[in-house]
Amino acid sequence: MKNIDDDFVIDTYKKILLNPEKAESIIDLIKGKKQVDDKMPISIELHLTNRCNLNCEWCVDKKMRSNKDLITWEALKTLIADIAWKGIGITVEGGGEPTLYEWFDEFIMECRRNGIRLGLITNGVKELPVEILRCFDWIRVSLDATNEEEYRIEKGVNQFDQVVRNIKRIARKAPDVVLSIGYVITNRNVSQITNLFELFKDVKIQHFRIRTVEECPELMLEPKEVTKLNKRLKAEQKERKINVVLSLAEDSCEANNDLPCIAHSLRAIIHADGNVVLCEKRRHDMITLGNINQDKFSDIWRSDEHIDASQKLLDSENQRGCAVCRVTKFNEIFMELCEVETPHFI
């Protein structure tokens, strides 16, 4: 099983409670009352471009980055108009590095003008204008190193000092933004991991999101090392009174815990080529619903292709080859909710 931090589980329950109509629609799908959860997703993960200014050896999107796709500004304007004021959040991410997108600032400002809440996952190399930083609800900077040498080895270049300066600048210039640091653990950058907390001890970091490297066996930690690391980080969290969100693989649990993927509709992913897909982890069997260069997102979401995909994912056998991911916990919770025998009594 994956070792998922208790705070993550609690946060998962909270998000379900805060989206009751979406939750009800998914439960109706599980119970066979409908063929597809046609309610719009809670959030969209948007790849603006496949270009990147780093060269991480373990990047799971290297193949995707080779085509240098970038989403058209016209398609983005149509997407914004389609989902404006509907309570859908957009996580701006990659693919590549989203801040390299030519119309990045214009896109962010247009989203805010249309009531779209925004999150950003970035490598933090580019310094963004303060007015753009303040448009985001949250920003996560992928650091993955505690010093210049580690950064150069993990990222292929040395931008460590620049990224650290930018993280501290975000905290200072956009104090209302939820700021977090992402850290991918490899067998090369694990030894000094606790220096990360010391580096930002005087900075308001809401949480450190730490996970083990994926799809790169030669850089993975041995299971016993992961167990030791988990204990070590738990101790640091308690001593320093910081929020550390852990997703550390202690073994290779597969097939989404033998559950159907009934929570896939909580979010959608839009690639830089315009394709709307249901999952980033499903590399062995990518499910594409349509393309926003040809059709509106809302039409794609309510299409026959989505119905077919939904019915396929309701068969747990179709999750063979899927590793456990963050949707797994949502799947587990929704299945548990459906098993409650007296839901109308406290």
Side-chain angles (χ1 to χ4, degrees):
M1 290 291 294
K2 276 205 171 187
N3 182 352
I4 303 295
D5 189 81
D6 290 343
D7 288 342
F8 176 84
V9 177
I10 294 171
D11 191 50
T12 302
Y13 275 106
K14 288 177 180 177
K15 289 185 177 182
I16 292 174
L17 287 170
L18 289 170
N19 294 275
E21 291 184 2
K22 185 69 174 176
E24 183 179 14
S25 183
I26 291 175
I27 290 172
D28 284 346
L29 175 65
I30 301 169
K31 293 183 175 181
K33 295 181 180 180
K34 58 198 312 186
Q35 288 186 300
V36 64
D37 165 30
D38 56 356
K39 296 286 185 185
M40 293 289 268
I42 294 172
S43 62
I44 293 172
E45 297 170 11
L46 179 63
H47 298 191
L48 293 178
T49 176
N50 288 337
R51 293 173 53 221
C52 192
N53 47 6
L54 298 178
N55 187 29
C56 303
E57 179 182 341
W58 39 259
C59 178
V60 295
D61 291 327
K62 268 193 174 183
K63 185 176 179 181
M64 185 184 297
R65 280 169 40 206
S66 65
N67 58 34
K68 308 297 183 184
D69 281 328
L70 64 119
I71 207 158
T72 68
W73 179 224
E74 288 303 314
L76 286 180
K77 287 190 284 188
T78 300
L79 175 66
I80 291 169
D82 191 22
I83 68 172
W85 305 104
K86 292 181 180 176
I88 299 172
I90 291 181
T91 298
V92 185
E93 56 173 64
E97 168 52 36
T99 62
L100 298 181
Y101 183 65
E102 183 177 357
W103 299 282
F104 182 82
D105 291 3
E106 291 88 340
F107 170 68
I108 298 305
M109 296 303 294
E110 189 66 14
C111 282
R112 292 301 284 180
R113 281 192 289 267
N114 284 273
I116 298 172
R117 310 305 288 260
L118 294 166
L120 173 65
I121 300 176
T122 174
N123 60 32
V125 172
K126 185 176 179 180
E127 183 178 302
L128 297 176
V130 173
E131 61 270 23
I132 297 299
L133 291 175
R134 292 175 179 173
C135 286
F136 292 98
D137 286 34
W138 61 272
I139 296 174
R140 187 195 311 161
V141 181
S142 302
L143 185 57
D144 310 318
T146 61
N147 57 61
E148 291 183 2
E149 180 62 15
E150 281 184 350
Y151 196 94
R152 183 188 60 76
I153 293 171
E154 299 297 330
K155 304 289 194 176
V157 298
N158 182 21
Q159 294 283 3
F160 181 76
D161 289 341
Q162 171 73 9
V163 176
V164 170
R165 281 196 300 270
N166 282 338
I167 291 171
K168 293 180 177 181
R169 177 175 173 271
I170 295 169
R172 189 173 66 253
K173 298 289 187 178
D176 294 331
V177 173
V178 174
L179 177 59
S180 65
I181 292 175
Y183 200 101
V184 175
I185 291 284
T186 71
N187 53 26
R188 301 182 302 204
N189 66 4
V190 66
S191 62
Q192 301 185 65
I193 178 65
T194 54
N195 289 345
L196 177 69
F197 312 129
E198 187 66 22
L199 186 64
F200 295 101
K201 64 181 181 180
D202 298 321
V203 182
K204 185 182 178 183
I205 304 295
Q206 271 80 0
H207 61 265
F208 298 86
R209 186 172 292 271
I210 298 173
R211 66 175 178 85
T212 43
V213 68
E214 299 175 357
E215 301 181 28
C216 196
E218 64 273 18
L219 294 180
M220 288 181 173
L221 275 64
E222 294 293 327
K224 62 181 180 181
E225 294 175 316
V226 174
T227 302
K228 291 179 181 178
L229 176 63
N230 179 51
K231 292 179 180 178
R232 184 178 169 196
L233 292 176
K234 288 280 190 179
E236 286 285 330
Q237 177 174 253
K238 184 176 181 180
E239 181 179 341
R240 293 177 180 269
K241 295 181 173 56
I242 54 177
N243 187 8
V244 181
V245 180
L246 303 176
S247 182
L248 304 178
E250 294 187 357
D251 62 34
S252 56
C253 180
E254 296 238 337
N256 212 348
N257 280 353
D258 293 319
L259 292 173
C261 190
I262 40 99
H264 65 267
S265 59
L266 288 172
R267 53 96 177 90
I269 301 119
I270 301 178
H271 285 169
D273 61 4
N275 280 338
V276 178
V277 303
L278 285 181
C279 181
E280 287 288 62
K281 301 289 186 183
R282 199 178 179 86
R283 301 179 193 278
H284 63 291
D285 180 25
M286 187 70 73
I287 296 177
T288 303
L289 304 183
N291 190 293
I292 63 168
N293 289 309
Q294 283 86 49
D295 299 294
K296 289 170 59 178
F297 175 81
S298 56
D299 292 337
I300 293 170
W301 195 249
R302 297 187 175 99
S303 66
D304 290 341
E305 286 79 7
H306 193 185
I307 294 174
D308 292 342
S310 175
Q311 291 300 298
K312 177 179 180 178
L313 293 174
L314 283 174
D315 181 357
S316 61
E317 287 299 311
N318 278 315
Q319 271 54 267
R320 299 296 169 186
C322 288
V324 174
C325 69
R326 58 194 173 93
V327 174
T328 298
K329 182 51 62 177
F330 285 100
N331 287 333
E332 292 174 350
I333 291 172
F334 276 113
M335 293 301 287
E336 290 170 2
L337 289 173
C338 287
E339 293 169 358
V340 175
E341 295 180 345
T342 56
H344 302 293
F345 300 87
I346 298 298

